[in-house]
Amino acid sequence: MHSIRCFRNDIALLLLAGFVLSCGSSTEIPPPPLRPVRYQEAHATSGMRVRTFSGTAEADVEVSLSFRVRGNIQRLLVQRGDRVEEGQLIAELDPTDYELQVQEAEASLIQAEARARQVESDYDRVRGLYENRNAAKADLDAGRAEAESARAQIDASVKRLEQARAQLSYTRLRAPTAGSIAFVPVEVNENVTSGREIALLTAGSRPDVNVAVPESLIGEIQRGEAVTVTFDAFPGSNFAGVVTKVGVAATDLASTFPVTVQLREETETVRSGMAANVAFAFGSTDERERYLLPPQSVLEDRDGRFVFVVEPKESGLGVVRRKPVTVGDITGEGLEVLEGLSDGDRVVTAGVSQIHEGLEVELLEEGGPS
């Protein structure tokens, strides 16, 4: 009985000692870690923004070469890519039929001239008789009429001969100016009608670039406006251009308007059909400064659009503050913020969905996702 009582006392002492030790060595719960955020310093920019539109280069002079008469192509002396000089022969039709027409016209002229000589001789004879009162006035008038008709017949024959010779000359197609052959859609021995395209000649050393501009921006583009043109074929090279034509009607099946840009300087490297990009600088309707931010940094709730900025503290820490903002357009450089920011504000660009007003955060380096 005594031993049982002693065992109970020992257990009580052990429990009391454990309680005292546990009270003396209690551990504190550590605070949660600070949330890291990335930010971007906001700096005011001008109201200008750049928009780029794709287009295609075209020669500033394009001539569709065709015969003025119909016939069978006897010779075709050029092919795509050939360089030609002014007056160079491009193609030739079979001239046989037109040579026959020239010969017939020449024969008709010879006949008309022979008849005219005979009629003139008769008229001179009648006039002499009339002057000697050996012929009537009616005979004189008839002789004069015959002579005038013969001279008119000669004039008509001369014109028919000139026309036949012109038709013959039209069987030879020549380049009206120096340039390059861009397209040849016909073959030798092919029968063609007058006006059928035989070759497309491109000329000029200052190509045009045609682009389509949305209706929301076409009103801001003016003739004579300076632009920058780049070509996929020449990466890293910029070409100065000027707007020469601004369309007044929308293109088919789209609310865009055609705009033509011409390169300011002559170049032999840019060819018709090359893919191009034209950069236009658009100004805002007012002179207010604006800030360009990543679109994801601007949030919206029932109170409107806003951003989170951080007020820096010591040791790379900061406190989150909410700022209402007014935004503009989305550009290639970012979303325009027109009102609400000050130069140098540190705008949170990553982690915005997990922070709130007054939260203390850890500031990371600018840029990149957190």
Side-chain angles (χ1 to χ4, degrees):
M1 187 70 179
H2 176 73
S3 60
I4 293 174
R5 188 181 296 113
C6 291
F7 176 73
R8 290 176 177 174
N9 290 338
D10 291 341
I11 291 176
L13 290 174
L14 290 173
L15 292 174
L16 179 62
F19 175 75
V20 172
L21 289 174
S22 64
C23 291
S25 60
S26 61
T27 58
E28 297 181 357
I29 300 175
L34 297 178
R35 183 171 299 281
V37 296
R38 296 191 185 276
Y39 66 90
Q40 172 182 313
E41 286 194 4
H43 295 288
T45 62
S46 67
M48 301 300 294
R49 62 191 189 279
V50 176
R51 293 286 300 274
T52 301
F53 302 100
S54 299
T56 304
E58 293 183 359
D60 56 343
V61 177
E62 287 191 352
V63 183
S64 179
L65 304 180
S66 62
F67 288 106
R68 298 176 64 176
V69 294
R70 63 183 302 276
N72 182 271
I73 298 177
Q74 187 177 64
R75 291 200 298 165
L76 190 58
L77 305 176
V78 297
Q79 56 186 351
R80 179 180 295 183
D82 285 353
R83 181 76 183 176
V84 297
E85 300 299 328
E86 181 178 355
Q88 181 174 332
L89 187 62
I90 302 297
E92 186 175 8
L93 297 177
D94 183 354
T96 303
D97 293 342
Y98 298 98
E99 289 173 345
L100 291 174
Q101 292 177 11
V102 170
Q103 293 172 8
E104 291 176 358
E106 289 175 341
S108 296
L109 177 60
I110 291 173
Q111 291 177 355
E113 290 174 340
R115 179 176 180 277
R117 286 193 297 269
Q118 180 63 45
V119 170
E120 287 287 346
S121 176
D122 292 343
Y123 175 58
D124 290 340
R125 181 176 57 81
V126 172
R127 185 169 53 187
L129 293 174
Y130 177 77
E131 291 174 352
N132 293 325
R133 298 182 180 181
N134 292 322
K137 180 71 165 54
D139 295 334
L140 179 65
D141 291 341
R144 181 186 301 112
E146 286 288 334
E148 291 175 351
S149 175
R151 287 193 291 269
Q153 187 64 36
I154 290 177
D155 292 340
S157 296
V158 168
K159 290 180 179 178
R160 282 196 295 269
L161 178 58
E162 291 176 348
Q163 183 179 16
R165 287 173 175 170
Q167 295 285 308
L168 177 60
S169 69
Y170 296 155
T171 62
R172 296 170 66 85
L173 182 62
R174 298 184 180 275
T177 185
S180 299
I181 301 299
F183 186 49
V184 181
V186 295
E187 299 289 343
V188 174
N189 296 323
E190 182 175 344
N191 284 309
V192 295
T193 58
S194 61
R196 166 75 183 278
E197 185 178 64
I198 304 301
L200 179 64
L201 175 67
T202 61
S205 54
R206 293 201 299 167
D208 292 335
V209 176
N210 294 318
V211 298
V213 177
E215 60 181 348
S216 60
L217 296 174
I218 192 65
E220 300 184 44
I221 297 178
Q222 304 294 329
R223 290 184 59 186
E225 179 180 339
V227 297
T228 301
V229 184
T230 58
F231 294 91
D232 295 346
F234 310 111
S237 298
N238 294 332
F239 298 80
V242 60
V243 176
T244 56
K245 298 178 184 177
V246 180
V248 296
T251 56
D252 295 339
L253 304 177
S255 57
T256 58
F257 291 76
V259 174
T260 300
V261 171
Q262 187 178 61
L263 300 188
R264 288 186 177 273
E265 297 182 358
E266 296 184 355
T267 174
E268 297 294 337
T269 58
V270 176
R271 298 186 178 184
S272 182
M274 285 186 172
N277 296 288
V278 181
F280 294 83
F282 295 99
S284 66
T285 56
D286 54 49
E287 298 300 326
R288 293 178 296 177
E289 293 182 333
R290 63 210 59 231
Y291 303 83
L292 295 174
L293 298 176
Q296 69 271 15
S297 64
V298 179
L299 306 177
E300 185 175 9
D301 60 13
R302 69 176 66 182
D303 295 324
R305 291 187 174 93
F306 64 94
V307 298
F308 285 122
V309 300
V310 288
E311 297 177 353
K313 298 173 60 177
E314 71 286 346
S315 302
L317 304 180
V319 177
V320 174
R321 300 298 181 200
R322 170 181 168 138
K323 275 197 171 185
V325 295
T326 301
V327 301
D329 297 331
I330 294 181
T331 70
E333 293 79 24
L335 176 63
E336 293 178 331
V337 175
L338 307 178
E339 296 178 352
L341 291 179
S342 300
D343 203 66
D345 278 349
R346 300 186 177 190
V347 180
V348 178
T349 58
V352 292
S353 61
Q354 300 174 339
I355 59 177
H356 55 79
E357 171 76 19
L359 180 67
E360 188 174 52
V361 294
E362 178 186 0
L363 303 183
L364 302 179
E365 296 180 0
E366 297 186 37
S370 60

